[in-house]
Amino acid sequence: MTLKYDLVFLLSLVALAYAFQQNAIVTETFTGQRHYVDRATGHDLISFPFFNLSDPEVLAYVVKGTIHSEADQSVDTRFKFEGEILAISLNGQSLDLNAIKQNYGVERLLYNEAGYVLTIALRAGKNTVEVGARADGDTVLFQIEIVRDSDDLIKLLCVIASLGLLIYFFIFDTLQPSRLKYYLMATIGCCLLLLLLSIKEHPFILDEFYHFLQLMSLIHQGELYEGVTPLPGYHLLLAVFGFIFDQFSLPFFRLVTFGISIFSIGAFAFAARGLGHYRTQTLQYVFFPLLFPHFFLLYTDVLSTTLVLLCMGFLLRDRFHLAGVCGIAGVLVRQNNIIWLVFVGLYILWRKYRFDLRGDNLGNALVDTSFALLGGIAFVVFVIANDGVAMAVSQAHPSYQLHLGNIYFLLFCAFFLFLPLHLDHAGRIYRLLRLRIWIVPCCGICVLFFFYTFEADYPFNYNRLLLRNNLLHWVVADPWRKLAFGLCAAYAALSTAVTELKREHLLLLYPLALLYLLPSWVIEPRYLIAPLVLFNIFRKPRRPQVEFALVILFIAAALYIFFGYQGNSFIL
């Protein structure tokens, strides 16, 4: 009976319509302005009074933005600031903070990781919120979050369940009608489009601001902005679209990035199809949690990943020159993509020549790897001329240094992201340890090495408004938590060791992924995207139940992270 597929499709559309009924969302950028208190006249130089001003000439900030509400309603809002919250104003009216101080049992609203929750009465339309805070430095870090309630959780579960039903039939039902594929594509397309609409007017999210400044500098001054480290390939592409459509706003550039994201799904399918199985893994890519929020944001990661996928797709089809071209284009977006050009060269030498370069093989190998070689030579010239890899703020991204932090973080994240796969590998890991008992003490030594060397010492990793930083410092603060972190990473490494890849030459991924991550000092989830996405392409699929569990896990994690960004709850 095929009617069930039509009913499930209709239910999925109803679930999406219900889930994306927005209540209150942040709609405009919160901007901070610095002010000094004028003690000579007894007046302060800000738009509404501060409380608890005890220091003469205190350095203070006003952070201002808007929250859109569809109707008059009360919303719980969480405030987090690096400093002391001194006042909050809603639509020009100062709010009394005595109640919130009593609720939290504090005299001063200083930063804490949980933030301070205040119920504010919103009117229909735009509501202007101003928050006064003081800080010791030249800037103030802030986060204003709309607190999600149980209704939002129900909506999230509805989306997961509706997508899960369609994907279940798509994976397991051997008698599925051809229209089921189009139902699934339509549902996922509607979901992605609704997510885009819900975030396109959101204020800048973290580094989006600097990428936008880079775009404005290229468009209006024809020069690079000094605060952006990647090469400007991504920004030049977006600027071209801006000139074509005469649009230069943040929502427009997010829309262009979304278009690149749709193309990247095809690029993934193209690469995965070069190794056989691709349908289920493509679904996993669509909702890959670390990349998914960036489908809708002004970041380089989607274009960078797309070019890496195209590079691998051509390489797996033995189109070596096209692979080299895509690899070079990837370097123009993110410098560390040079590692995947190295992958191209080594893969060709292993797969086609078995590293035997005697006789005519040497000349043929030079022809096959010519684009990879030219890209590598050009990159070396760039590094020498630029005196480093980063285009700007080289002190924040120092060259010629090696750090293990991202490797530890990669294994830790992989443990949870691929948890169904790791659980399915438990038997294989047990047999491996029985056959090679020496691996057990080696793992113990590695965990001890991690225990005594792991640090989150990069300055940006002290920004407590980022979820990963709070996690890292929470782990480092307690030896038992640190040990648990290390054991998760060790298990993920063992699971990876027993994972079968589709071709032996693809084992190059592991050492080159380490080289990809080693130069980065800052621990950043976005740096893990390329290695993990390629791992998911290269591995042999497991039982359908395991692959289905991975899809559902990815959908749940991706949507949870997205709504965290959209509601200002957290940023990875």
Side-chain angles (χ1 to χ4, degrees):
M1 181 179 180
T2 61
L3 183 60
K4 63 182 179 182
Y5 304 111
D6 305 301
L7 291 175
V8 170
F9 175 57
L10 292 175
L11 284 174
S12 67
L13 295 181
V14 171
L16 289 175
Y18 166 69
F20 288 98
Q21 286 180 339
Q22 296 296 334
N23 292 318
I25 58 172
V26 178
T27 56
E28 287 187 0
T29 306
F30 281 85
T31 57
Q33 294 183 337
R34 185 170 60 183
H35 300 272
Y36 287 93
V37 175
D38 185 355
R39 289 297 182 182
T41 62
H43 296 90
D44 48 45
L45 305 178
I46 54 178
S47 58
F48 60 99
F50 276 174
F51 302 115
N52 296 336
L53 284 180
S54 56
D55 301 331
E57 300 181 356
V58 65
L59 179 61
Y61 294 80
V62 173
V63 177
K64 181 177 180 181
T66 64
I67 296 177
H68 177 81
S69 177
E70 292 186 349
D72 294 346
Q73 61 176 317
S74 294
V75 174
D76 286 339
T77 311
R78 179 178 286 112
F79 296 87
K80 293 182 185 180
F81 282 77
E82 281 277 8
E84 180 183 1
I85 299 175
L86 302 173
I88 299 176
S89 169
L90 175 64
N91 297 323
Q93 299 295 317
S94 296
L95 305 181
D96 188 352
L97 299 186
N98 289 330
I100 188 173
K101 292 178 184 178
Q102 291 177 356
N103 290 339
Y104 286 93
V106 295
E107 294 294 326
R108 303 166 68 198
L109 297 181
L110 293 170
Y111 175 85
N112 74 71
E113 293 179 4
Y116 301 97
V117 177
L118 181 65
T119 302
I120 58 176
L122 299 177
R123 62 194 183 194
K126 286 188 177 181
N127 296 265
T128 301
V129 179
E130 293 178 277
V131 180
R134 68 170 149 194
D136 297 328
D138 293 331
T139 60
V140 59
L141 298 173
F142 60 88
Q143 184 172 322
I144 300 176
E145 166 197 347
I146 297 171
V147 180
R148 303 297 185 183
D149 55 22
S150 58
D151 288 343
D152 296 294
L153 178 60
I154 292 172
K155 292 177 179 180
L156 178 62
L157 291 175
C158 285
V159 176
I160 295 170
S162 62
L163 287 171
L165 273 175
L166 283 171
I167 292 169
Y168 176 85
F169 290 133
F170 182 72
I171 292 176
F172 291 99
D173 196 339
T174 56
L175 300 177
Q176 59 184 263
S178 59
R179 66 180 182 277
L180 178 61
K181 176 175 66 175
Y182 301 105
Y183 284 169
L184 182 57
M185 293 172 60
T187 303
I188 293 175
C190 288
C191 180
L192 295 177
L193 185 59
L194 289 169
L195 290 170
L196 174 68
L197 294 174
S198 72
I199 204 170
K200 70 181 182 69
E201 300 292 341
H202 194 283
F204 293 109
I205 293 178
L206 210 60
D207 288 350
E208 277 195 307
F209 177 69
Y210 299 104
H211 292 300
F212 190 77
L213 286 181
Q214 173 83 299
L215 280 163
M216 293 300 100
S217 181
L218 285 170
I219 291 167
H220 297 298
Q221 282 85 40
E223 59 186 30
L224 299 178
Y225 173 65
E226 62 182 11
V228 176
T229 58
L231 287 164
Y234 169 73
H235 309 92
L236 289 171
L237 178 63
L238 263 62
V240 168
F241 278 100
F243 282 115
I244 291 173
F245 294 97
D246 195 27
Q247 293 287 331
F248 305 102
S249 65
L250 176 62
F252 173 77
F253 290 129
R254 282 177 172 166
L255 179 62
V256 174
T257 302
F258 178 71
I260 297 171
S261 304
I262 300 301
F263 181 75
S264 80
I265 297 172
F268 182 92
F270 170 69
R273 198 167 186 174
L275 291 169
H277 302 86
Y278 74 99
R279 297 204 315 172
T280 304
Q281 288 173 309
T282 302
L283 288 173
Q284 292 164 357
Y285 174 77
V286 172
F287 293 97
F288 187 70
L290 299 184
L291 180 62
F292 186 76
H294 301 96
F295 279 7
F296 315 94
L297 302 178
L298 192 63
Y299 275 81
T300 62
D301 300 272
V302 171
L303 180 58
S304 172
T305 305
T306 302
L307 292 169
V308 171
L309 290 171
L310 289 174
C311 173
M312 295 301 161
F314 287 119
L315 181 65
L316 295 171
R317 290 168 174 80
D318 295 339
R319 305 292 296 275
F320 301 140
H321 290 168
L322 287 175
V325 170
C326 291
I328 292 171
V331 176
L332 295 177
V333 176
R334 294 280 290 273
Q335 289 93 311
N336 54 357
N337 285 336
I338 187 65
I339 294 299
W340 309 123
L341 262 184
V342 175
F343 185 102
V344 169
L346 292 177
Y347 180 90
I348 295 170
L349 295 178
W350 187 357
R351 177 171 170 79
K352 188 171 181 179
Y353 300 99
R354 308 298 294 183
F355 293 111
D356 181 5
L357 300 181
R358 291 172 294 182
D360 293 339
N361 283 357
L362 178 59
N364 294 333
L366 287 173
V367 172
D368 288 335
T369 61
S370 56
F371 280 87
L373 286 172
L374 288 173
I377 293 170
F379 183 78
V380 170
V381 171
F382 161 76
V383 171
I384 294 172
N386 190 56
D387 194 24
V389 176
M391 286 289 292
V393 288
S394 56
Q395 69 278 9
H397 299 275
S399 303
Y400 321 119
Q401 294 185 10
L402 301 178
H403 305 272
L404 293 172
N406 277 298
I407 295 173
Y408 297 141
F409 197 55
L410 169 75
L411 292 170
F412 178 76
C413 290
F415 175 80
F416 291 99
L417 287 174
F418 293 92
L419 187 58
L421 183 68
H422 299 322
L423 295 177
D424 192 55
H425 282 166
R428 289 185 173 189
I429 294 172
Y430 175 71
R431 289 190 293 272
L432 173 68
L433 296 180
R434 283 194 62 186
L435 289 172
R436 296 176 173 84
I437 192 65
W438 54 268
I439 294 178
V440 176
C442 287
C443 287
I445 293 171
C446 290
V447 170
L448 282 175
F449 182 79
F450 158 81
F451 189 85
Y452 288 106
T453 61
F454 178 62
E455 295 179 346
D457 57 351
Y458 183 77
F460 192 66
N461 286 129
Y462 286 93
N463 178 354
R464 294 178 294 178
L465 299 180
L466 299 178
L467 183 64
R468 66 172 178 272
N469 293 342
N470 287 329
L471 170 65
L472 292 171
H473 289 288
W474 180 77
V475 167
V476 171
D478 182 85
W480 292 107
R481 293 196 289 261
K482 195 172 184 181
L483 179 62
F485 186 104
L487 291 174
C488 290
Y491 186 90
L494 288 171
S495 179
T496 302
V498 300
T499 299
E500 294 182 76
L501 301 184
K502 296 172 181 176
R503 293 179 186 174
E504 63 172 341
H505 324 91
L506 301 176
L507 287 168
L508 288 167
L509 172 66
Y510 298 143
L512 291 180
L514 298 183
L515 288 176
Y516 181 80
L517 296 173
L518 275 172
S520 299
W521 183 13
V522 58
I523 298 177
E524 167 63 74
R526 293 184 296 113
Y527 297 168
L528 315 182
I529 292 172
L532 291 177
V533 165
L534 292 179
F535 169 77
N536 209 35
I537 290 180
F538 294 165
R539 67 178 179 85
K540 288 184 179 179
R542 298 294 291 166
R543 295 175 293 120
Q545 292 85 349
V546 174
E547 300 300 329
F548 175 70
L550 270 176
V551 176
I552 298 303
L553 175 61
F554 282 8
I555 291 174
L559 292 176
Y560 179 77
I561 293 170
F562 175 88
F563 286 117
Y565 279 47
Q566 190 257 4
N568 273 20
S569 302
F570 60 84
I571 300 172
L572 290 181

